[in-house]
């Protein structure tokens, strides 16, 4: 029996055939170039291009055909997507699921909308990759994953949300924050899977303080943590040290953001995915 785990490229992990994992790419497009967010993308070069680029740019979620290709004759398929609150990726994976089932009526496919991105999506994918190694049934795994997603959170610090605002993926009120230079926005993925600012900070120390307060409120007590950074390993290490200072039993991994998240979280951005004790309500509006 063939099992596959699929996710879009807002997850930090690259395709890994041995693990049965495929990453399906977003596209990032400027007037000059198209960047395909797959294993061949030179993320650093893309970030450098964007430092100089002044024109417009957009992104596009993976099309139905790309999802279908990666389903690849599998009998059991787990699909983990970034938030349906700001992207069409969940929708396009859902259409691919229906089409695949028409041809493979005995296959089992489950799609999980993380209502989040990057570090939190990566936590979920890593959980699924662990689960498929157990002797659990598909249905048992799906229950565990659904419950897991209710207990993961995403926090972030961003130095710019210009690309977010330019693409109309935040409200006007949030977009207005972009005009203020030199501040860090500390925020979280909302219940609906949108960007929710919590505070504006002049110093990174304030953002770290907010993070620890929010982790306590979320019932975090030292579980697994993933930190995704956009060319900012120093700050990722700072965040790691601060979390360990307050929650010494945390298991923390640091990953580099891939193309899509580097584009939206922008240079310096940090995304923190955590496992929490408290349930966080996830409101799925678009499906
Ligand atoms: O083209 C598309 O479908 C992509 C749409 C938007 C992608 C957003 C990527 C977010 C990257 C930014 C900060 C955290 C926001 C949290 C919201 C859930 C990371």
């Amino acid at each position: 029996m063939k099992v596959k785990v699929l996710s879009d490229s807002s997850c930090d992990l690259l395709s890994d055939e041995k693990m049965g994992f495929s990453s399906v790419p977003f596209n990032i497009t400027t007037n000059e170039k198209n960047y395909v967010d797959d294993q061949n993308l030179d993320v650093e070069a893309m970030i450098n291009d964007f430092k100089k680029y002044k024109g417009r740019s957009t992104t596009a979620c993976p099309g139905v055909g790309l999802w279908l290709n990666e389903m690849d004759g599998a009998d059991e398929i787990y699909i983990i997507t970034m938030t349906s609150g700001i992207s069409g990726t969940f929708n396009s994976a859902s259409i691919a699921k229906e089409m695949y089932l028409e041809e493979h009526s005995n296959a089992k496919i489950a799609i999980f909308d993380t209502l989040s991105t990057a570090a939190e999506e990566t936590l979920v994918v890593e959980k699924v990759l662990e689960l498929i190694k157990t002797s659990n049934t598909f249905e048992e795994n799906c229950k565990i994953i659904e419950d897991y997603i209710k207990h993961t959170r995403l926090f972030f610090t961003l130095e710019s949300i210009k690309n977010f605002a330019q693409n109309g993926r935040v409200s006007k009120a949030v977009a207005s924050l972009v005009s203020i230079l030199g501040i860090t926005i500390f925020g979280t993925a909302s219940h609906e899977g949108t960007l929710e600012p919590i505070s504006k900070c002049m110093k990174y120390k304030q953002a770290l303080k907010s993070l620890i307060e929010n982790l306590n409120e979320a019932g975090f007590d030292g579980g697994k943590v993933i930190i995704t950074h956009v060319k900012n390993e120093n700050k990722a290490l700072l965040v790691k040290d601060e979390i360990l200072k307050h929650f010494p039993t945390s298991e923390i991994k640091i990953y580099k953001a891939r193309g899509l998240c580097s584009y939206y979280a922008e240079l310096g951005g940090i995304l923190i995915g955590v496992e929490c004790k408290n349930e966080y309500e996830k409101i799925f509006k678009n499906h």
Side-chain angles (χ1 to χ4, degrees):
M1 194 187 56
K2 185 166 174 177
V3 180
K4 283 216 71 171
V5 179
L6 313 185
S7 185
D8 52 61
S9 65
S10 123
C11 167
D12 303 334
L13 306 176
L14 294 172
S15 294
D16 183 335
E17 211 175 312
K18 273 211 292 283
M19 307 263 274
F21 175 67
S22 293
S23 171
V24 184
F26 277 86
N27 276 263
I28 302 125
T29 312
T30 67
N31 295 334
E32 287 157 14
K33 218 165 158 174
N34 181 53
Y35 303 87
V36 181
D37 194 10
D38 62 13
Q39 67 279 359
N40 302 317
L41 178 68
D42 183 341
V43 177
E44 197 137 340
M46 187 193 89
I47 294 173
N48 287 335
D49 288 352
F50 271 100
K51 278 189 201 156
K52 289 172 265 162
Y53 183 69
K54 296 278 176 278
R56 287 198 69 81
S57 49
T58 55
T59 59
C61 67
V64 176
L66 286 184
W67 287 109
L68 268 175
N69 278 348
E70 296 304 333
M71 293 184 179
D72 200 20
D75 309 287
E76 292 185 353
I77 305 171
Y78 301 84
I79 305 178
I80 300 91
T81 73
M82 87 168 297
T83 175
S84 63
I86 42 178
S87 172
T89 179
F90 175 87
N91 193 35
S92 117
S94 304
I95 299 169
K97 169 183 168 177
E98 296 313 320
M99 287 172 74
Y100 189 84
L101 288 175
E102 275 170 28
E103 300 288 314
H104 306 79
S105 52
N106 292 324
K108 293 179 182 178
I109 308 180
I111 310 188
F112 302 93
D113 178 357
T114 59
L115 287 186
S116 187
T117 180
E120 186 179 357
E121 187 172 341
T122 309
L123 277 177
V124 179
V125 170
E126 289 191 346
K127 181 75 179 178
V128 179
L129 291 172
E130 270 168 37
L131 285 169
I132 60 166
K133 288 194 224 144
T134 67
S135 56
N136 292 347
T137 63
F138 182 78
E139 290 73 20
E140 283 165 347
N141 282 341
C142 288
K143 270 193 122 149
I144 298 173
I145 299 160
E146 262 166 43
D147 186 65
Y148 187 75
I149 291 177
K150 290 185 195 151
H151 293 90
T152 52
R153 292 287 305 272
L154 182 77
F155 296 98
F156 49 80
T157 64
L158 302 175
E159 282 159 34
S160 166
I161 52 170
K162 202 176 84 246
N163 289 338
F164 238 107
Q166 186 203 262
N167 280 294
R169 303 207 187 246
V170 285
S171 68
K172 283 220 169 77
V174 174
S176 68
L177 296 172
V178 296
S179 54
I180 313 166
L181 273 181
I183 61 154
T184 296
I185 297 160
F186 172 70
T188 189
S190 72
H191 296 285
E192 291 91 10
T194 57
L195 184 151
E196 180 178 313
I198 297 174
S199 54
K200 289 180 279 177
C201 310
M202 298 301 289
K203 298 213 169 74
Y204 207 68
K205 246 180 128 173
Q206 290 173 293
L208 290 175
K209 195 165 164 255
S210 278
L211 171 68
I212 301 302
E213 281 166 12
N214 277 274
L215 288 179
N216 275 315
E217 266 168 43
F220 176 73
D221 66 356
K224 193 171 161 190
V225 179
I226 290 178
I227 304 173
T228 309
H229 69 93
V230 186
K231 258 191 109 179
N232 201 351
E233 192 168 14
N234 284 345
K235 265 198 185 136
L237 289 168
L238 214 65
V239 171
K240 179 180 175 181
D241 287 350
E242 189 68 16
I243 297 177
L244 281 175
K245 203 165 93 193
H246 292 85
F247 308 98
T249 59
S250 314
E251 276 170 64
I252 309 182
K253 283 198 275 196
I254 297 180
Y255 289 123
K256 281 187 185 156
R258 298 178 52 198
L260 183 85
C261 290
S262 297
Y263 172 77
Y264 280 106
E266 297 191 45
L267 191 58
I270 301 275
L271 300 122
I272 305 141
V274 290
E275 294 179 346
C276 295
K277 286 277 171 313
N278 300 350
E279 187 172 316
Y280 187 66
E281 195 187 357
K282 304 232 169 171
I283 304 169
F284 303 101
K285 278 198 174 157
N286 302 326
H287 43 98

